[in-house]
Amino acid sequence: MTTDFDYTLPPAVRRISGSFRLVGWISFWTQVVLAAISSLVLMFALVNLGARSGQNSNPGTGVGLLLAALGLVAVYLSAFWAFRYTRLGRRLRSRDTAKRPSPKDALQTLRLGTVISMAGMLVTLFGSQALIGSLLGKALAQPQGGTVFVPGNVGQYVEAFDIFVVQANTNTLLAHFVSLAATLWLLRTVNRA
């Protein structure tokens, strides 16, 4: 349903406004779901790491978890920024032209969203490298061949839990990718207008 007000808006502003709202909501909910899953896994990992602190632990695991947690904080910040895109789309449809953001303000918001996504992706990639390096160290230290499992030092073996942490970090990377793709799509939409 359209109102007579919709016809007073320039078509480019109407298209940009709709794009900001739609892409903002898709980006927001995708990031929130991926971040919630990664948060649960990383909280479980931190508790598990604290319980295993007496055993031989790989130093790369702690650094990797710290960087993964920082990347996760960046995802939550990026999700908030995606929510701001929806609000910006709403303000673009305002009757009062003084309340409408200028194209410069919209571009500045998108540029900052790009920086947040890129910085978060970089930190998360460093976390991935540390976690995968830790897993590689464990895998290389494991006895090869037909060795019998020795129950005394479980921490030296690659466990399913270790792979679960890598999966959580991969979810965080995917959330950053979604945010970056959404922001670049919106930049393209604004620049085409």
Side-chain angles (χ1 to χ4, degrees):
M1 181 171 109
T2 60
T3 63
D4 57 15
F5 170 69
D6 285 337
Y7 296 113
T8 63
L9 278 175
V13 173
R14 200 174 324 135
R15 185 176 60 248
I16 290 170
S17 171
S19 293
F20 265 88
R21 294 197 60 183
L22 178 66
V23 173
W25 281 120
I26 291 171
S27 176
F28 173 77
W29 284 112
T30 304
Q31 289 178 75
V32 165
V33 168
L34 289 169
I37 293 168
S38 294
S39 295
L40 291 173
V41 171
L42 288 178
M43 284 191 310
F44 184 66
L46 290 174
V47 168
N48 197 6
L49 184 67
R52 287 201 239 173
S53 62
Q55 299 175 359
N56 288 341
S57 62
N58 195 332
T61 304
V63 172
L65 286 175
L66 175 67
L67 291 172
L70 289 174
L72 193 57
V73 169
V75 168
Y76 282 114
L77 180 62
S78 181
F80 169 73
W81 212 253
F83 181 74
R84 285 196 55 184
Y85 294 158
T86 66
R87 302 298 95 189
L88 185 67
R90 179 180 281 177
R91 284 190 336 199
L92 282 169
R93 285 192 177 252
S94 174
R95 287 182 186 258
D96 186 9
T97 56
K99 288 185 179 179
R100 269 190 230 150
S102 68
K104 182 181 175 185
D105 292 338
L107 286 173
Q108 185 63 28
T109 301
L110 291 171
R111 284 186 191 115
L112 191 53
T114 304
V115 169
I116 292 168
S117 297
M118 293 293 287
M121 192 177 279
L122 180 67
V123 169
T124 306
L125 281 170
F126 284 145
S128 292
Q129 293 298 318
L131 288 169
I132 292 171
S134 170
L135 286 178
L136 179 64
K138 278 184 172 183
L140 291 175
Q142 282 181 195
Q144 301 297 316
T147 315
V148 178
F149 175 73
V150 180
N153 191 7
V154 176
Q156 80 180 30
Y157 297 103
V158 175
E159 303 171 58
F161 175 75
D162 295 328
I163 305 302
F164 203 44
V165 172
V166 171
Q167 177 63 43
N169 205 39
T170 304
N171 287 346
T172 304
L173 276 173
L174 180 59
H176 283 299
F177 175 79
V178 166
S179 172
L180 187 61
T183 303
L184 291 175
W185 178 266
L186 289 173
L187 269 170
R188 178 183 170 269
T189 302
V190 170
N191 285 332
R192 285 179 61 199

